[in-house]
């Protein structure tokens, strides 16, 4: 079996998208380098003529071994009442579906999707798998309590965090910065989450990092999506930042002369997306208009991480220590199932979520196991 990378939600000007169908499908194949693409016409404004033309084109472009393409529709609710208003603002860049298929053709990809032999990324060609013995992610089975779970990760930026979830509960973690040893001079600020779980969910951050008692030797930002998200040096002791997060995470890495004896101050305003009114006038987030964090370098040396949880959808600010060692691009390991304390007699949907240094993430499908 091999991993294929798919975008299963693609529009065109047949309905509410931009560019014609041939352009978008060709772009997906030839520019984005997708293996699999799903054309999803909106149900409320596709015409029979355009649908027939699109299906004919999709069949012509489908080429086993090179490009698998499916016709489909997006059920928007409007045709049967319900639904939500459309929006042109979705926030972060689009993700990808990873499909572990037996062959590179429609039938095999469809079989893998129905079997949940899949993983998800935040847009990168990273890879993740989870299994117990012969049972692969996506399967429903009765588990051997004495057999471990095996995971494997492949990426580009270096893996820094691996989390195992049982549904929505975090039950096991691995921090590669801690394993490789924290550096006494390197820290980072991570900003992430969203204000709400809906469209127009973005949290718009504008703030400063003030560091005294140490020299800022250098800094860099990771996870930013476009040029308007940026970090700059305001003066010798202050870094300023402007970014927005829509469920994703951005980070600012800082190299200091020393952490001991330093004072760290972070102050940020958090604004809403301006849907109504003057977009040049910020609209503060009602539940968390500002966030302030102040601590000493010695406190961070002792704690390694300080997190400020904010009202919202995983909205948080975190100041963390880092390692100076290279993070692994390939990572695999075992998790002892017997040590997880899972309740017997009920199903546990266990899945991995892992993060790279550039704040990209990957999720496996779940193992639906019962002890």
């Amino acid at each position: 079996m091999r991993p294929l990378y798919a975008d299963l939600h693609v529009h065109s000007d047949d309905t509410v998208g931009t560019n014609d169908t041939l352009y978008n499908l060709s772009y997906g194949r030839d520019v984005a380098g997708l293996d699999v693409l799903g054309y999803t016409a909106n149900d409320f404004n596709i015409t029979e003529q355009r649908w027939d033309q699109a299906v004919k084109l999709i069949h012509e472009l489908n080429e086993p071994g090179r490009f698998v393409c499916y016709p489909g529709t997006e059920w928007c609710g409007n045709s049967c009442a319900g639904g939500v208003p459309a929006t042109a603002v979705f926030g972060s860049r689009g993700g990808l579906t990873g499909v572990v298929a037996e062959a590179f053709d429609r039938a095999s990809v469809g079989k893998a999707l129905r079997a949940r032999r899949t993983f998800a990324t935040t847009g990168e060609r990273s890879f993740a798998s989870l299994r117990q013995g012969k049972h692969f992610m996506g399967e429903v089975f009765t588990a051997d309590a004495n057999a471990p779970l095996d995971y494997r990760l492949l990426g580009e930026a270096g893996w820094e965090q691996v989390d195992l979830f049982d549904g929505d509960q975090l039950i096991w973690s691995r921090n590669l910065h801690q394993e490789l040893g924290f550096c006494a001079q390197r820290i980072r600020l991570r900003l992430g989450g969203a204000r709400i779980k809906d469209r127009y969910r973005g949290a718009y951050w504008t703030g400063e990092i003030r560091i005294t008692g140490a020299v800022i030797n250098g800094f860099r930002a990771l996870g930013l999506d476009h040029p308007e998200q940026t970090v700059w040096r305001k003066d010798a002791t202050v870094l300023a930042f402007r970014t927005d997060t829509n469920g994703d995470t951005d980070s600012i890495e800082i190299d200091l002369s020393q952490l001991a004896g330093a004072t760290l101050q972070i102050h940020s305003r958090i604004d809403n997306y301006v849907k109504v009114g003057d977009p040049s006038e910020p609209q503060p987030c009602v539940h968390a208009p500002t966030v302030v964090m102040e601590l000493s370098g010695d406190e961070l040396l002792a704690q390694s991480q300080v997190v400020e949880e904010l009202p919202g959808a995983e909205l948080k600010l975190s100041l963390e220590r880092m390692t100076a060692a290279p993070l692994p691009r390939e990572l695999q390991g075992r998790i002892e199932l017997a040590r997880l304390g899972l309740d017997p007699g009920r199903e546990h949907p266990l899945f991995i979520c892992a993060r790279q240094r550039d704040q990209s993430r990957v999720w496996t499908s779940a193992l639906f196991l019962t002890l």
Side-chain angles (χ1 to χ4, degrees):
M1 294 193 290
R2 57 164 292 184
L4 303 171
Y5 291 89
D7 186 340
L8 301 175
H9 190 166
V10 175
H11 291 299
S12 74
D13 62 6
D14 285 343
T15 52
V16 299
T18 56
N19 304 315
D20 62 52
T21 304
L22 175 60
Y23 178 92
N24 286 351
L25 300 187
S26 300
Y27 186 96
R29 180 191 63 188
D30 301 330
V31 180
L34 294 171
D35 301 309
V36 182
L37 187 146
Y39 165 86
T40 52
N42 295 90
D43 63 359
F44 62 89
N45 65 347
I46 184 69
T47 66
E48 183 176 359
Q49 179 183 10
R50 286 204 164 199
W51 171 255
D52 290 342
Q53 291 172 345
V55 170
K56 181 176 182 295
L57 174 62
I58 288 165
H59 289 328
E60 292 172 352
L61 291 176
N62 184 70
E63 184 180 348
R66 183 189 180 197
F67 186 60
V68 169
C69 194
Y70 295 100
T73 59
E74 176 185 344
W75 183 76
C76 303
N78 305 57
S79 55
C80 301
V84 296
T87 177
V89 179
F90 289 93
S92 302
R93 61 187 183 276
L96 291 176
T97 300
V99 184
V100 184
E102 295 175 350
F104 194 173
D105 55 46
R106 275 183 177 172
S108 299
V109 171
K111 180 181 178 182
L113 288 170
R114 286 188 290 271
R116 298 182 292 265
R117 291 199 300 269
T118 56
F119 57 94
T121 84
T122 48
E124 302 74 23
R125 262 62 170 186
S126 48
F127 171 82
S129 67
L130 180 66
R131 66 168 67 236
Q132 187 193 44
K134 66 179 182 179
H135 298 289
F136 198 62
M137 56 189 182
E139 292 187 36
V140 180
F141 63 100
T142 299
D144 178 354
N146 296 315
L149 306 178
D150 293 295
Y151 64 87
R152 188 183 184 202
L153 304 167
L154 299 173
E156 288 289 337
W159 297 102
E160 64 177 21
Q161 182 78 21
V162 186
D163 295 325
L164 178 70
F165 286 85
D166 180 4
D168 61 356
Q169 299 297 311
L170 176 64
I171 60 173
W172 178 91
S173 287
R174 183 179 179 186
N175 184 330
L176 276 297
H177 288 282
Q178 185 176 32
E179 286 185 20
L180 294 170
F182 291 122
C183 176
Q185 293 84 35
R186 290 191 180 181
I187 63 171
R188 69 176 174 187
L189 177 68
R190 296 179 65 239
L191 315 161
R195 295 178 299 102
I196 54 175
K197 290 184 177 180
D198 205 344
R199 296 179 177 183
Y200 305 105
R201 61 189 175 273
Y204 293 78
W205 307 77
T206 305
E208 294 182 349
I209 307 167
R210 182 179 299 273
I211 300 175
T212 56
V215 176
I216 301 175
N217 291 325
F219 65 94
R220 70 167 180 166
L222 295 172
L224 306 186
D225 296 319
H226 54 76
E228 292 182 6
Q229 298 179 348
T230 185
V231 181
W232 66 97
R233 185 189 285 267
K234 190 173 181 180
D235 58 40
T237 62
V238 177
L239 302 178
F241 59 87
R242 181 179 63 248
T243 189
D244 58 90
T245 60
N246 296 264
D248 59 316
T249 302
D250 299 334
S251 73
I252 304 167
E253 298 184 358
I254 306 171
D255 183 20
L256 299 174
S257 57
Q258 80 281 336
L259 193 51
T263 299
L264 314 170
Q265 297 172 306
I266 296 98
H267 184 281
S268 180
R269 191 179 76 235
I270 305 175
D271 295 326
N272 294 331
Y273 174 80
V274 181
K275 187 176 181 181
V276 178
D278 185 353
S280 66
E281 293 295 328
Q283 295 183 1
C285 174
V286 174
H287 302 294
T290 60
V291 57
V292 177
M293 180 183 289
E294 182 173 344
L295 69 157
S296 69
D298 295 297
E299 289 176 300
L300 189 57
L301 283 169
Q303 300 178 47
S304 75
Q305 181 184 53
V306 177
V307 180
E308 183 73 25
E309 302 277 358
L310 302 169
E314 299 182 359
L315 191 65
K316 68 179 70 174
L317 179 148
S318 176
L319 192 60
E320 306 169 353
R321 296 181 62 191
M322 299 180 62
T323 186
L327 292 164
R329 296 170 58 190
E330 179 176 0
L331 184 66
Q332 52 190 340
R334 286 192 159 182
I335 304 171
E336 296 299 328
L337 188 63
R339 296 183 180 180
L340 297 178
L342 301 179
D343 294 333
R346 73 172 183 88
E347 186 176 84
H348 296 272
L350 303 183
F351 67 92
I352 289 284
C353 175
R355 186 180 70 235
Q356 297 192 76
R357 183 176 181 175
D358 63 359
Q359 304 308 297
S360 64
R361 289 190 286 177
V362 65
W363 295 260
T364 68
S365 281
L367 287 169
F368 298 90
L369 60 84
T370 301
L371 296 176

